[in-house]
C-alpha cells in the first residue's frame, strides 16, 4: 500500500501556508463556525488528520479523553510534538493517506478539515480511516465545494478537486461508509469566493479581505443557515458512519 500523497504535493502547512489565511487570526469567526459545526459529532476519542500546528484540535481537549493529532508535513509534526510535549493523553503521528495508520487503539471520531481534496485516491483514504475507527464511529469531512469555484488558489495549494454533495457521497459510499450528514454550507462564502477568486482573478485570499469577510459574511451566513439549507456553498460538510458490522 502506498505511503500517502504519492501523486499529490501538499504544501507545508506551517505558519505561512496559503490555506492558513482562511482560518488564521484574520478569521476568528470562521474558525468558531468550523468548531461549532464539527463539535456536536465528536465523541470521547478523536484522531485529527492534517492537524497543522494544532490550533483546531486543541479546542476539543475539554471534551476528550484521548486525542491523536497527525500531519504529513515534518515541520507540522515537529511543532505538534513541541505543543503537546507535556500531555500524556495526546499522541502525535506522521503519515500521509492512504496508508495503514500506525494507531493501535481505535478512536470513535476522525476529523479531517480540508484534507480529502488533496488526495487522488480519496475513497482509499477513507478506508484507511475506517480501519482505525470504532464500529459506529464517525468520520467528519470538511472539503471545498463545487468545481465552478476551482481556480489558481486550488492549484497552488494542491487541490485535486472540489466536491459536491453528490460526488462526496459517492466517495463515502465507495469507501463502505454510511452517510449521516451531507450538505453544502457557507452559501454566501461561495458567492464571495466566486467573485473574488474566480471572477476577480485573485491568486489567493487577501488577509485584509478575509478579515472583512469574517466580520460581515460569516455571521450573516450562520444566521441564514440556522433556518435553511443552501443549495450551494463554499464548503461541503459530511458526517460518515463506520458500519457496526464490517
Amino acid at each position: 500500500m502506498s505511503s500517502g500523497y504519492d501523486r499529490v504535493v501538499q504544501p507545508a502547512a506551517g505558519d505561512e501556508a496559503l490555506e492558513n489565511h482562511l482560518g488564521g487570526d484574520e478569521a476568528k469567526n470562521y474558525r468558531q463556525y468550523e468548531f461549532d459545526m464539527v463539535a456536536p459529532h465528536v465523541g470521547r476519542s478523536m484522531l485529527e488528520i492534517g492537524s497543522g500546528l494544532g490550533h483546531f484540535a486543541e479546542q476539543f481537549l475539554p471534551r476528550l479523553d484521548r486525542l491523536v493529532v497527525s500531519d504529513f508535513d515534518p515541520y507540522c509534526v515537529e511543532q505538534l510534538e513541541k505543543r503537546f510535549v507535556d500531555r500524556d493523553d495526546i499522541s502525535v503521528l506522521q503519515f500521509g493517506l492512504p496508508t495503514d495508520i500506525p494507531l493501535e487503539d481505535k478512536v470513535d471520531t476522525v476529523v479531517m478539515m480540508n484534507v480529502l481534496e488533496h488526495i487522488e485516491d480519496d475513497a482509499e483514504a477513507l478506508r484507511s480511516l475506517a480501519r482505525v475507527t470504532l464500529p459506529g464511529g464517525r468520520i467528519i469531512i470538511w472539503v471545498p465545494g463545487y468545481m465552478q469555484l476551482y481556480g489558481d488558489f486550488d492549484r497552488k495549494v494542491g487541490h485535486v478537486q472540489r466536491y459536491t454533495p453528490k460526488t462526496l457521497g459517492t466517495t463515502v459510499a465507495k469507501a463502505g461508509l454510511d452517510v449521516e450528514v451531507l450538505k453544502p454550507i457557507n452559501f454566501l462564502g461561495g458567492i464571495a469566493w466566486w467573485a473574488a477568486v474566480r471572477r476577480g482573478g485573485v491568486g489567493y485570499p487577501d488577509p485584509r479581505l478575509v478579515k472583512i469577510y469574517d466580520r460581515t459574511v460569516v455571521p450573516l451566513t450562520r444566521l441564514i443557515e440556522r433556518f435553511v439549507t443552501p443549495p450551494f456553498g463554499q464548503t461541503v460538510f459530511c458526517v460518515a458512519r463506520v458500519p457496526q458490522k464490517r
Side-chain angles (χ1 to χ4, degrees):
M1 185 170 291
S2 69
S3 60
Y5 300 123
D6 290 335
R7 298 180 65 185
V8 178
V9 177
Q10 181 172 1
D15 293 294
E16 297 303 318
L18 289 176
E19 286 182 287
N20 282 2
H21 287 305
L22 303 180
D25 291 337
E26 300 92 353
K28 294 179 180 179
N29 286 329
Y30 185 76
R31 290 173 64 180
Q32 187 64 47
Y33 176 42
E34 291 178 313
F35 178 80
D36 291 343
M37 288 292 298
V38 171
H41 307 284
V42 173
R44 301 299 305 178
S45 57
M46 182 179 115
L47 164 64
E48 187 188 28
I49 307 299
S51 299
L53 304 180
H55 298 101
F56 188 69
E58 192 172 52
Q59 299 175 90
F60 294 90
L61 286 176
R63 63 179 64 207
L64 294 175
D65 297 323
R66 174 174 165 237
L67 171 64
V68 183
V69 291
S70 68
D71 211 283
F72 178 63
D73 183 76
Y75 171 79
C76 291
V77 172
E78 180 184 0
Q79 295 305 308
L80 289 168
E81 289 174 342
K82 290 179 181 178
R83 188 183 195 101
F84 299 120
V85 65
D86 296 323
R87 297 292 300 258
D88 294 335
D89 56 337
I90 302 175
S91 303
V92 180
L93 299 178
Q94 181 176 5
F95 60 85
L97 292 170
T99 192
D100 289 321
I101 299 172
L103 189 65
E104 293 184 7
D105 297 321
K106 294 184 178 183
V107 295
D108 60 36
T109 311
V110 175
V111 174
M112 53 188 326
M113 306 291 290
N114 295 316
V115 174
L116 193 64
E117 68 274 12
H118 291 275
I119 304 170
E120 189 166 281
D121 195 347
D122 49 2
E124 185 58 35
L126 293 180
R127 293 188 196 103
S128 298
L129 299 177
R131 289 194 290 269
V132 295
T133 305
L134 291 166
R138 295 180 172 103
I139 299 176
I140 301 168
I141 306 164
W142 182 291
V143 289
Y146 298 86
M147 285 301 291
Q148 294 93 327
L149 302 181
Y150 193 98
D152 288 343
F153 174 81
D154 296 274
R155 283 185 284 272
K156 287 178 181 177
V157 299
H159 290 176
V160 177
Q161 63 175 309
R162 300 178 73 98
Y163 290 86
T164 65
K166 182 178 180 179
T167 59
L168 183 57
T170 298
T171 297
V172 168
K174 187 178 177 182
L177 304 173
D178 300 324
V179 170
E180 187 172 274
V181 178
L182 179 59
K183 60 183 180 180
I185 59 174
N186 198 8
F187 175 68
L188 295 180
I191 296 173
W193 183 272
W194 180 82
V197 179
R198 293 292 284 122
R199 295 289 292 180
V202 178
Y204 63 92
D206 186 327
R208 294 170 298 177
L209 295 178
V210 169
K211 186 177 293 186
I212 295 171
Y213 160 83
D214 189 64
R215 291 178 178 177
T216 58
V217 177
V218 172
L220 182 57
T221 296
R222 297 195 63 172
L223 177 63
I224 293 172
E225 291 180 1
R226 286 176 55 190
F227 302 102
V228 297
T229 299
F232 165 85
Q234 185 182 2
T235 299
V236 176
F237 178 69
C238 177
V239 180
R241 282 271 193 179
V242 176
Q244 289 285 351
K245 295 181 180 180
R246 292 186 59 81

